[in-house]
Amino acid sequence: MRNQITEALKNQNADYIEIRMDESSSSRIQYRGRDLEDIGRSTGSGGNVRALVNGGWGFISFNDAHNLKDKVDLAIKQARLVGNEKSNIAHMDPIQDIVEAHIDKNPLNIPLEDKKKLLDEYVEAIWSTPKIQTSTISYSDSQKKVIFANSEGSYIEQSRVDVTSRINAVAREGSDVQQYGISIGSIGDYSVIEGLHAQVKECAEKAVQMLSAPKVKGGQYTVVLDPILAGVFTHEAFGHLSESDFVYENDQMREIMVLGRKFGKPILNIVDGGAVPGYRGSYKYDDEGIPSTKTYLIKEGVLTGRLHSRETAAKMGEQPTGNARAISYSHQPIVRMSNTYIEPGSTTFEEMISGIKEGVYAKNWYGGMTSMEMFTFSAGETYMIRDGKIAELLRPVVLSGNVFSTLQNIDAIGNDLDMNQGGGCGKGGQSPLPVSNGSPHIRINDCLVGGA
Ligand SMILES: [Zn+2]
């Protein structure tokens, strides 16, 4: 295959060409209530050619890798049709490398029946709780090998193994419905799925407890976010604004996302990095064969970086960061996050809540949306904070505001960083892309809190 690929890239009349080939196998299990809705294994393979001519890209994807040279020709022809300027991508020295998958407990060595048996136990753990109306449990794992080669002489093989699961319990009393869920994931370690019986049972119990919890009195509060909700906030509300394709194409955002501008207090550090090891967003090279990095988006409260592909780096006169990613061979790489998190500070959780007379402790994540700098997020679990202590359970709240003023209002950062490894990111029709996000506990002043 390697010869075929390097031959196909030789002596072509284009500014740049790359070939990327995937080979993957995956398994999935899905329950709705007690019913097993889907169980199975699948395998897939395919590839693509991306060519750059006069600033225009051509892209051809395929399942059958025969006649690669013809596919390269086609991609070049397509690129020639749209190109109308000078090609401009950041310089990169060629790389040759083979990267093995990081594996602790390989899900591919576990029979599908054993996975099902474990999930059956989780289904029963939920349904043994009274007032449960329904539940959903999904599980998937995948193994993927990606070959990347380009006309500059790079040839990289990378393998990875992914595991994710989402478990959700729904309780009901009359017309009142409450739910609680957890997302779990890892890069190459099935054991994160095992032994969750107590946690799963707790999901069901929390959903039921919320049925009798009061609603919050809406208003401005000092709010403490747990690592899950703070991590999702960091990814959704801020991280996407750091993706340079978005910044480059959006005049309003370019005026806001000015490097050197103060975005928060000096305690605030926000990082994105595929080079940070051991998480679902970790990788050695992105889908343009660029080495992953660790990028400070915000350092000591100041906007210091953003995420790039080769093209956005060149167009904005900045260094590539290794953030061009594609969910599969049938998609082009676009600028994406990897592992995005707020770096830990020195405040303990007790110190953080000790001075709060009346505040809100918002945990877990249920859903939300962002529109430019505005966000609305639903917490999955909420408590009042009274006189410096965690007080009564509330119905889950909705937090909303402007991401930039919210970042400015973060006045305490915990020492207890934790990462969300479940779920994935969606952008430009490519979902779910494996990413992680996280944060320690953080405290936000003057946050708008509403009932769900
Ligand atoms: Zn996202």
Side-chain angles (χ1 to χ4, degrees), residues 16-52:
Y16 171 82
I17 314 162
E18 66 190 22
I19 294 176
R20 182 160 48 87
M21 317 266 279
D22 280 13
E23 224 171 79
S24 66
S25 63
S26 60
S27 62
R28 64 193 184 279
I29 305 173
Q30 196 147 2
Y31 293 83
R32 181 168 298 276
R34 281 184 157 115
D35 299 331
L36 181 63
E37 277 202 327
D38 187 21
I39 183 165
R41 275 201 197 87
S42 50
T43 57
S45 65
N48 68 68
V49 179
R50 197 167 68 128
L52 178 66

mmCIF file of all heavy atoms in Angstrom, residues 16-52:
data_model
loop_
_atom_site.group_PDB
_atom_site.id
_atom_site.type_symbol
_atom_site.label_atom_id
_atom_site.label_comp_id
_atom_site.label_asym_id
_atom_site.label_seq_id
_atom_site.Cartn_x
_atom_site.Cartn_y
_atom_site.Cartn_z
ATOM 1 N N TYR A 16 0.030 21.088 -3.726
ATOM 2 C CA TYR A 16 0.114 20.197 -2.564
ATOM 3 C C TYR A 16 -0.936 19.102 -2.747
ATOM 4 O O TYR A 16 -2.039 19.368 -3.224
ATOM 5 C CB TYR A 16 -0.172 20.985 -1.283
ATOM 6 C CG TYR A 16 -0.328 20.125 -0.053
ATOM 7 C CD1 TYR A 16 0.779 19.656 0.649
ATOM 8 C CD2 TYR A 16 -1.600 19.772 0.418
ATOM 9 C CE1 TYR A 16 0.626 18.863 1.780
ATOM 10 C CE2 TYR A 16 -1.758 18.978 1.547
ATOM 11 C CZ TYR A 16 -0.635 18.527 2.225
ATOM 12 O OH TYR A 16 -0.780 17.740 3.336
ATOM 13 N N ILE A 17 -0.585 17.865 -2.338
ATOM 14 C CA ILE A 17 -1.547 16.755 -2.391
ATOM 15 C C ILE A 17 -1.369 15.898 -1.137
ATOM 16 O O ILE A 17 -0.240 15.704 -0.663
ATOM 17 C CB ILE A 17 -1.319 15.818 -3.596
ATOM 18 C CG1 ILE A 17 -1.109 16.598 -4.883
ATOM 19 C CG2 ILE A 17 -2.489 14.849 -3.771
ATOM 20 C CD1 ILE A 17 -0.457 15.762 -5.967
ATOM 21 N N GLU A 18 -2.476 15.386 -0.619
ATOM 22 C CA GLU A 18 -2.359 14.407 0.462
ATOM 23 C C GLU A 18 -3.342 13.259 0.227
ATOM 24 O O GLU A 18 -4.384 13.429 -0.408
ATOM 25 C CB GLU A 18 -2.601 15.059 1.838
ATOM 26 C CG GLU A 18 -4.007 15.558 2.038
ATOM 27 C CD GLU A 18 -4.183 16.404 3.303
ATOM 28 O OE1 GLU A 18 -3.193 16.960 3.814
ATOM 29 O OE2 GLU A 18 -5.328 16.505 3.757
ATOM 30 N N ILE A 19 -2.954 12.092 0.745
ATOM 31 C CA ILE A 19 -3.815 10.905 0.685
ATOM 32 C C ILE A 19 -3.977 10.410 2.117
ATOM 33 O O ILE A 19 -3.000 10.339 2.867
ATOM 34 C CB ILE A 19 -3.179 9.800 -0.190
ATOM 35 C CG1 ILE A 19 -3.112 10.268 -1.657
ATOM 36 C CG2 ILE A 19 -3.977 8.489 -0.082
ATOM 37 C CD1 ILE A 19 -2.404 9.282 -2.587
ATOM 38 N N ARG A 20 -5.220 10.134 2.504
ATOM 39 C CA ARG A 20 -5.475 9.626 3.858
ATOM 40 C C ARG A 20 -6.359 8.387 3.735
ATOM 41 O O ARG A 20 -7.376 8.424 3.059
ATOM 42 C CB ARG A 20 -6.140 10.729 4.692
ATOM 43 C CG ARG A 20 -6.428 10.376 6.128
ATOM 44 C CD ARG A 20 -6.612 11.647 6.976
ATOM 45 N NE ARG A 20 -7.507 12.602 6.346
ATOM 46 C CZ ARG A 20 -8.831 12.604 6.481
ATOM 47 N NH1 ARG A 20 -9.428 11.703 7.236
ATOM 48 N NH2 ARG A 20 -9.570 13.506 5.873
ATOM 49 N N MET A 21 -5.945 7.292 4.365
ATOM 50 C CA MET A 21 -6.717 6.044 4.294
ATOM 51 C C MET A 21 -7.059 5.575 5.710
ATOM 52 O O MET A 21 -6.200 5.576 6.580
ATOM 53 C CB MET A 21 -5.890 4.951 3.613
ATOM 54 C CG MET A 21 -5.140 5.421 2.379
ATOM 55 S SD MET A 21 -6.028 5.130 0.875
ATOM 56 C CE MET A 21 -5.626 3.431 0.634
ATOM 57 N N ASP A 22 -8.312 5.157 5.895
ATOM 58 C CA ASP A 22 -8.801 4.656 7.192
ATOM 59 C C ASP A 22 -9.111 3.179 7.111
ATOM 60 O O ASP A 22 -9.590 2.708 6.091
ATOM 61 C CB ASP A 22 -10.182 5.247 7.510
ATOM 62 C CG ASP A 22 -10.139 6.636 8.065
ATOM 63 O OD1 ASP A 22 -9.073 7.258 7.986
ATOM 64 O OD2 ASP A 22 -11.196 7.082 8.549
ATOM 65 N N GLU A 23 -8.910 2.507 8.222
ATOM 66 C CA GLU A 23 -9.395 1.138 8.368
ATOM 67 C C GLU A 23 -9.950 1.079 9.776
ATOM 68 O O GLU A 23 -9.236 1.402 10.723
ATOM 69 C CB GLU A 23 -8.205 0.186 8.276
ATOM 70 C CG GLU A 23 -8.420 -1.025 7.421
ATOM 71 C CD GLU A 23 -7.089 -1.733 7.272
ATOM 72 O OE1 GLU A 23 -6.708 -2.444 8.222
ATOM 73 O OE2 GLU A 23 -6.436 -1.538 6.231
ATOM 74 N N SER A 24 -11.226 0.717 9.935
ATOM 75 C CA SER A 24 -11.772 0.746 11.289
ATOM 76 C C SER A 24 -12.679 -0.440 11.555
ATOM 77 O O SER A 24 -13.264 -1.026 10.639
ATOM 78 C CB SER A 24 -12.546 2.046 11.515
ATOM 79 O OG SER A 24 -13.675 2.072 10.689
ATOM 80 N N SER A 25 -12.766 -0.820 12.827
ATOM 81 C CA SER A 25 -13.771 -1.803 13.236
ATOM 82 C C SER A 25 -14.368 -1.298 14.539
ATOM 83 O O SER A 25 -13.684 -0.679 15.345
ATOM 84 C CB SER A 25 -13.146 -3.183 13.416
ATOM 85 O OG SER A 25 -12.209 -3.145 14.447
ATOM 86 N N SER A 26 -15.667 -1.513 14.693
ATOM 87 C CA SER A 26 -16.314 -0.962 15.877
ATOM 88 C C SER A 26 -17.413 -1.892 16.356
ATOM 89 O O SER A 26 -17.900 -2.750 15.621
ATOM 90 C CB SER A 26 -16.898 0.406 15.551
ATOM 91 O OG SER A 26 -17.849 0.291 14.522
ATOM 92 N N SER A 27 -17.811 -1.719 17.616
ATOM 93 C CA SER A 27 -18.999 -2.423 18.099
ATOM 94 C C SER A 27 -19.862 -1.438 18.861
ATOM 95 O O SER A 27 -19.376 -0.420 19.359
ATOM 96 C CB SER A 27 -18.630 -3.639 18.950
ATOM 97 O OG SER A 27 -17.927 -3.253 20.091
ATOM 98 N N ARG A 28 -21.175 -1.734 18.902
ATOM 99 C CA ARG A 28 -22.107 -0.809 19.545
ATOM 100 C C ARG A 28 -23.241 -1.593 20.180
ATOM 101 O O ARG A 28 -23.630 -2.659 19.692
ATOM 102 C CB ARG A 28 -22.650 0.182 18.512
ATOM 103 C CG ARG A 28 -23.461 -0.536 17.476
ATOM 104 C CD ARG A 28 -23.803 0.257 16.254
ATOM 105 N NE ARG A 28 -24.664 -0.593 15.432
ATOM 106 C CZ ARG A 28 -24.212 -1.556 14.614
ATOM 107 N NH1 ARG A 28 -22.914 -1.754 14.467
ATOM 108 N NH2 ARG A 28 -25.049 -2.312 13.954
ATOM 109 N N ILE A 29 -23.741 -1.058 21.282
ATOM 110 C CA ILE A 29 -24.880 -1.658 21.983
ATOM 111 C C ILE A 29 -25.758 -0.510 22.442
ATOM 112 O O ILE A 29 -25.256 0.478 22.973
ATOM 113 C CB ILE A 29 -24.425 -2.479 23.209
ATOM 114 C CG1 ILE A 29 -23.399 -3.540 22.800
ATOM 115 C CG2 ILE A 29 -25.628 -3.128 23.901
ATOM 116 C CD1 ILE A 29 -22.775 -4.276 23.970
ATOM 117 N N GLN A 30 -27.065 -0.644 22.239
ATOM 118 C CA GLN A 30 -27.957 0.434 22.633
ATOM 119 C C GLN A 30 -29.260 -0.104 23.230
ATOM 120 O O GLN A 30 -29.888 -0.994 22.657
ATOM 121 C CB GLN A 30 -28.272 1.295 21.408
ATOM 122 C CG GLN A 30 -28.866 2.613 21.787
ATOM 123 C CD GLN A 30 -28.458 3.714 20.818
ATOM 124 O OE1 GLN A 30 -27.756 3.474 19.834
ATOM 125 N NE2 GLN A 30 -28.887 4.918 21.086
ATOM 126 N N TYR A 31 -29.619 0.454 24.379
ATOM 127 C CA TYR A 31 -30.879 0.092 25.040
ATOM 128 C C TYR A 31 -31.781 1.311 25.128
ATOM 129 O O TYR A 31 -31.308 2.422 25.384
ATOM 130 C CB TYR A 31 -30.642 -0.344 26.480
ATOM 131 C CG TYR A 31 -29.880 -1.625 26.661
ATOM 132 C CD1 TYR A 31 -28.494 -1.635 26.612
ATOM 133 C CD2 TYR A 31 -30.551 -2.816 26.920
ATOM 134 C CE1 TYR A 31 -27.783 -2.806 26.802
ATOM 135 C CE2 TYR A 31 -29.852 -3.992 27.124
ATOM 136 C CZ TYR A 31 -28.476 -3.983 27.056
ATOM 137 O OH TYR A 31 -27.771 -5.128 27.259
ATOM 138 N N ARG A 32 -33.076 1.082 24.952
ATOM 139 C CA ARG A 32 -34.071 2.090 25.326
ATOM 140 C C ARG A 32 -34.970 1.404 26.335
ATOM 141 O O ARG A 32 -35.601 0.397 26.016
ATOM 142 C CB ARG A 32 -34.841 2.562 24.088
ATOM 143 C CG ARG A 32 -35.887 3.626 24.408
ATOM 144 C CD ARG A 32 -36.404 4.279 23.131
ATOM 145 N NE ARG A 32 -35.333 4.965 22.414
ATOM 146 C CZ ARG A 32 -34.923 6.214 22.676
ATOM 147 N NH1 ARG A 32 -35.495 6.904 23.648
ATOM 148 N NH2 ARG A 32 -33.966 6.765 21.985
ATOM 149 N N GLY A 33 -34.998 1.942 27.543
ATOM 150 C CA GLY A 33 -35.670 1.214 28.605
ATOM 151 C C GLY A 33 -34.975 -0.121 28.797
ATOM 152 O O GLY A 33 -33.752 -0.207 28.779
ATOM 153 N N ARG A 34 -35.787 -1.195 28.918
ATOM 154 C CA ARG A 34 -35.181 -2.531 29.068
ATOM 155 C C ARG A 34 -34.930 -3.194 27.730
ATOM 156 O O ARG A 34 -34.378 -4.290 27.670
ATOM 157 C CB ARG A 34 -36.104 -3.417 29.905
ATOM 158 C CG ARG A 34 -36.005 -3.162 31.404
ATOM 159 C CD ARG A 34 -36.892 -4.174 32.135
ATOM 160 N NE ARG A 34 -36.483 -4.387 33.489
ATOM 161 C CZ ARG A 34 -37.236 -4.059 34.552
ATOM 162 N NH1 ARG A 34 -38.413 -3.496 34.373
ATOM 163 N NH2 ARG A 34 -36.811 -4.312 35.764
ATOM 164 N N ASP A 35 -35.369 -2.529 26.654
ATOM 165 C CA ASP A 35 -35.250 -3.161 25.330
ATOM 166 C C ASP A 35 -33.887 -2.920 24.700
ATOM 167 O O ASP A 35 -33.429 -1.777 24.623
ATOM 168 C CB ASP A 35 -36.315 -2.612 24.373
ATOM 169 C CG ASP A 35 -37.718 -2.899 24.863
ATOM 170 O OD1 ASP A 35 -37.887 -3.924 25.566
ATOM 171 O OD2 ASP A 35 -38.620 -2.093 24.575
ATOM 172 N N LEU A 36 -33.308 -3.994 24.237
ATOM 173 C CA LEU A 36 -32.066 -3.894 23.477
ATOM 174 C C LEU A 36 -32.437 -3.427 22.074
ATOM 175 O O LEU A 36 -33.101 -4.138 21.334
ATOM 176 C CB LEU A 36 -31.397 -5.272 23.435
ATOM 177 C CG LEU A 36 -30.070 -5.359 22.693
ATOM 178 C CD1 LEU A 36 -29.002 -4.501 23.353
ATOM 179 C CD2 LEU A 36 -29.616 -6.825 22.633
ATOM 180 N N GLU A 37 -32.065 -2.191 21.727
ATOM 181 C CA GLU A 37 -32.461 -1.636 20.428
ATOM 182 C C GLU A 37 -31.492 -1.973 19.325
ATOM 183 O O GLU A 37 -31.861 -2.087 18.166
ATOM 184 C CB GLU A 37 -32.560 -0.109 20.519
ATOM 185 C CG GLU A 37 -33.879 0.372 21.068
ATOM 186 C CD GLU A 37 -34.176 1.812 20.661
ATOM 187 O OE1 GLU A 37 -33.233 2.604 20.539
ATOM 188 O OE2 GLU A 37 -35.357 2.112 20.475
ATOM 189 N N ASP A 38 -30.217 -2.084 19.691
ATOM 190 C CA ASP A 38 -29.211 -2.276 18.646
ATOM 191 C C ASP A 38 -27.996 -2.942 19.272
ATOM 192 O O ASP A 38 -27.568 -2.571 20.361
ATOM 193 C CB ASP A 38 -28.825 -0.911 18.059
ATOM 194 C CG ASP A 38 -27.899 -1.036 16.849
ATOM 195 O OD1 ASP A 38 -27.877 -2.127 16.234
ATOM 196 O OD2 ASP A 38 -27.197 -0.060 16.549
ATOM 197 N N ILE A 39 -27.482 -3.940 18.583
ATOM 198 C CA ILE A 39 -26.208 -4.530 19.003
ATOM 199 C C ILE A 39 -25.515 -5.023 17.748
ATOM 200 O O ILE A 39 -26.154 -5.591 16.871
ATOM 201 C CB ILE A 39 -26.408 -5.667 20.034
ATOM 202 C CG1 ILE A 39 -25.061 -6.218 20.504
ATOM 203 C CG2 ILE A 39 -27.296 -6.786 19.499
ATOM 204 C CD1 ILE A 39 -25.133 -7.073 21.771
ATOM 205 N N GLY A 40 -24.248 -4.766 17.635
ATOM 206 C CA GLY A 40 -23.566 -5.253 16.443
ATOM 207 C C GLY A 40 -22.137 -4.771 16.317
ATOM 208 O O GLY A 40 -21.656 -3.973 17.111
ATOM 209 N N ARG A 41 -21.520 -5.352 15.304
ATOM 210 C CA ARG A 41 -20.144 -4.978 14.984
ATOM 211 C C ARG A 41 -20.122 -4.500 13.546
ATOM 212 O O ARG A 41 -20.902 -4.960 12.724
ATOM 213 C CB ARG A 41 -19.247 -6.217 15.052
ATOM 214 C CG ARG A 41 -18.743 -6.531 16.411
ATOM 215 C CD ARG A 41 -17.510 -7.415 16.326
ATOM 216 N NE ARG A 41 -17.299 -8.028 17.623
ATOM 217 C CZ ARG A 41 -17.868 -9.152 18.004
ATOM 218 N NH1 ARG A 41 -18.651 -9.814 17.175
ATOM 219 N NH2 ARG A 41 -17.641 -9.637 19.200
ATOM 220 N N SER A 42 -19.214 -3.610 13.229
ATOM 221 C CA SER A 42 -19.039 -3.267 11.827
ATOM 222 C C SER A 42 -17.586 -2.935 11.531
ATOM 223 O O SER A 42 -16.818 -2.591 12.437
ATOM 224 C CB SER A 42 -19.958 -2.115 11.435
ATOM 225 O OG SER A 42 -19.829 -1.076 12.363
ATOM 226 N N THR A 43 -17.253 -3.073 10.276
ATOM 227 C CA THR A 43 -15.906 -2.696 9.851
ATOM 228 C C THR A 43 -16.043 -1.793 8.636
ATOM 229 O O THR A 43 -17.063 -1.827 7.944
ATOM 230 C CB THR A 43 -15.064 -3.925 9.436
ATOM 231 O OG1 THR A 43 -15.762 -4.603 8.392
ATOM 232 C CG2 THR A 43 -14.833 -4.858 10.595
ATOM 233 N N GLY A 44 -15.066 -0.980 8.417
ATOM 234 C CA GLY A 44 -15.124 -0.092 7.265
ATOM 235 C C GLY A 44 -13.731 0.291 6.824
ATOM 236 O O GLY A 44 -12.783 0.217 7.596
ATOM 237 N N SER A 45 -13.619 0.654 5.559
ATOM 238 C CA SER A 45 -12.343 1.168 5.088
ATOM 239 C C SER A 45 -12.587 2.085 3.910
ATOM 240 O O SER A 45 -13.602 1.984 3.223
ATOM 241 C CB SER A 45 -11.404 0.034 4.692
ATOM 242 O OG SER A 45 -11.938 -0.655 3.597
ATOM 243 N N GLY A 46 -11.683 2.990 3.709
ATOM 244 C CA GLY A 46 -11.798 3.923 2.600
ATOM 245 C C GLY A 46 -10.674 4.928 2.663
ATOM 246 O O GLY A 46 -9.799 4.843 3.528
ATOM 247 N N GLY A 47 -10.724 5.855 1.729
ATOM 248 C CA GLY A 47 -9.660 6.846 1.717
ATOM 249 C C GLY A 47 -10.084 8.103 1.003
ATOM 250 O O GLY A 47 -11.221 8.209 0.536
ATOM 251 N N ASN A 48 -9.181 9.059 0.967
ATOM 252 C CA ASN A 48 -9.460 10.280 0.223
ATOM 253 C C ASN A 48 -8.186 10.890 -0.318
ATOM 254 O O ASN A 48 -7.083 10.585 0.152
ATOM 255 C CB ASN A 48 -10.220 11.294 1.088
ATOM 256 C CG ASN A 48 -9.371 11.831 2.221
ATOM 257 O OD1 ASN A 48 -8.394 12.552 2.003
ATOM 258 N ND2 ASN A 48 -9.716 11.452 3.442
ATOM 259 N N VAL A 49 -8.365 11.730 -1.320
ATOM 260 C CA VAL A 49 -7.273 12.544 -1.843
ATOM 261 C C VAL A 49 -7.699 13.992 -1.716
ATOM 262 O O VAL A 49 -8.835 14.342 -2.039
ATOM 263 C CB VAL A 49 -7.012 12.255 -3.343
ATOM 264 C CG1 VAL A 49 -5.877 13.139 -3.857
ATOM 265 C CG2 VAL A 49 -6.709 10.787 -3.575
ATOM 266 N N ARG A 50 -6.805 14.820 -1.202
ATOM 267 C CA ARG A 50 -7.078 16.257 -1.145
ATOM 268 C C ARG A 50 -5.931 16.953 -1.877
ATOM 269 O O ARG A 50 -4.764 16.677 -1.617
ATOM 270 C CB ARG A 50 -7.147 16.716 0.316
ATOM 271 C CG ARG A 50 -7.816 18.066 0.501
ATOM 272 C CD ARG A 50 -8.145 18.325 1.967
ATOM 273 N NE ARG A 50 -6.944 18.493 2.762
ATOM 274 C CZ ARG A 50 -6.715 19.528 3.584
ATOM 275 N NH1 ARG A 50 -7.623 20.475 3.727
ATOM 276 N NH2 ARG A 50 -5.606 19.603 4.283
ATOM 277 N N ALA A 51 -6.294 17.825 -2.812
ATOM 278 C CA ALA A 51 -5.270 18.502 -3.615
ATOM 279 C C ALA A 51 -5.480 20.001 -3.542
ATOM 280 O O ALA A 51 -6.612 20.476 -3.449
ATOM 281 C CB ALA A 51 -5.341 18.022 -5.056
ATOM 282 N N LEU A 52 -4.385 20.732 -3.580
ATOM 283 C CA LEU A 52 -4.424 22.190 -3.534
ATOM 284 C C LEU A 52 -3.776 22.754 -4.804
ATOM 285 O O LEU A 52 -2.623 22.437 -5.111
ATOM 286 C CB LEU A 52 -3.668 22.679 -2.293
ATOM 287 C CG LEU A 52 -3.560 24.189 -2.075
ATOM 288 C CD1 LEU A 52 -4.935 24.801 -1.790
ATOM 289 C CD2 LEU A 52 -2.603 24.493 -0.915
#
